[in-house]
Amino acid sequence: GRITWQCICSCGAKANIRGSSLTSGNSKSCGCLRQDFMREKQTTHGKAETKAWYAWQRLRARCFQKGNKAYASYGGRGITVCARWLKFENFYADMGDPPDKVHSIDRINNDVNYEPENCRWATQKQQANNRRSNTWLTAFGKTQTIAQWSDETGIKRAAICQRLARGAS
């Protein structure tokens, strides 16, 4: 016994709406406005599943989840995440998006925690030169990794390693 009208919503969808809902103003859409409202209400930062968000998730996992395969090298040796970065919004405010797809989060000093002053977006090459396992070599008043000396001098990395093994300075 209720009269319904077939209406076309501003989103383009068709919906059958009771006449009383139309005349009272209770119906304003096919339901899409409610969906938009709920989506907006549940969205805190709108950056879920971005490269920055995944980087934040992974750094927390390395520091706090004992089951994580990298935990021993991070949380297991005391590396943690600063209190400010326990909220993604703060991490994102400090770091923003990586410059491009090849950059990932890197700690400048590997013995210090994840915190704004100690982190940067770095390339794989930068990160490879910033590993704890690198051999550092000082020559001509400059300290660099063997790979960096190889790039700078054109001498192959293996040749530098052989010379060091033979006791060359």
Side-chain angles (χ1 to χ4, degrees):
R2 295 186 180 129
I3 297 173
T4 59
W5 293 80
Q6 187 175 42
C7 302
I8 299 176
C9 182
S10 59
C11 74
K14 290 182 181 177
N16 292 322
I17 310 292
R18 275 193 267 164
S20 60
S21 293
L22 291 172
T23 56
S24 68
N26 286 339
S27 183
K28 303 215 186 301
S29 74
C30 65
C32 63
L33 289 179
R34 180 166 174 70
Q35 289 173 346
D36 291 346
F37 171 76
M38 292 306 289
R39 188 177 304 113
E40 188 177 310
K41 186 177 176 183
Q42 292 173 348
T43 301
T44 52
H45 48 71
K47 292 291 182 178
E49 299 184 27
T50 62
K51 188 154 173 77
W53 186 78
Y54 281 121
W56 176 73
Q57 290 281 43
R58 287 190 298 269
L59 69 87
R60 288 180 33 231
R62 288 190 291 265
C63 293
F64 300 126
Q65 295 176 4
K66 290 182 180 178
N68 185 287
K69 67 181 180 177
Y71 178 82
S73 298
Y74 292 85
R77 63 184 199 96
I79 301 300
T80 190
V81 180
C82 69
R84 175 173 166 72
W85 280 10
L86 296 178
K87 275 189 76 172
F88 173 76
E89 292 84 352
N90 294 334
F91 168 81
Y92 189 77
D94 293 337
M95 295 301 296
D97 288 312
D100 54 42
K101 291 181 180 182
V102 300
H103 286 78
S104 57
I105 196 79
D106 180 48
R107 285 175 300 122
I108 297 163
N109 180 339
N110 288 316
D111 294 321
V112 178
N113 299 328
Y114 283 101
E115 51 196 35
E117 306 80 28
N118 191 44
C119 289
R120 64 182 174 181
W121 293 113
T123 64
Q124 281 187 318
K125 187 171 187 173
Q126 288 172 309
Q127 289 198 20
N129 282 310
N130 192 29
R131 297 178 86 126
R132 287 185 299 136
S133 59
N134 279 334
T135 300
W136 293 87
L137 183 59
T138 302
F140 315 110
K142 191 172 171 181
T143 302
Q144 300 185 114
T145 65
I146 292 173
Q148 288 170 320
W149 280 116
S150 176
D151 286 348
E152 186 173 313
T153 63
I155 300 170
K156 291 187 178 182
R157 189 180 169 283
I160 295 172
C161 291
Q162 287 172 352
R163 290 176 187 177
L164 288 172
R166 287 194 314 258
S169 62

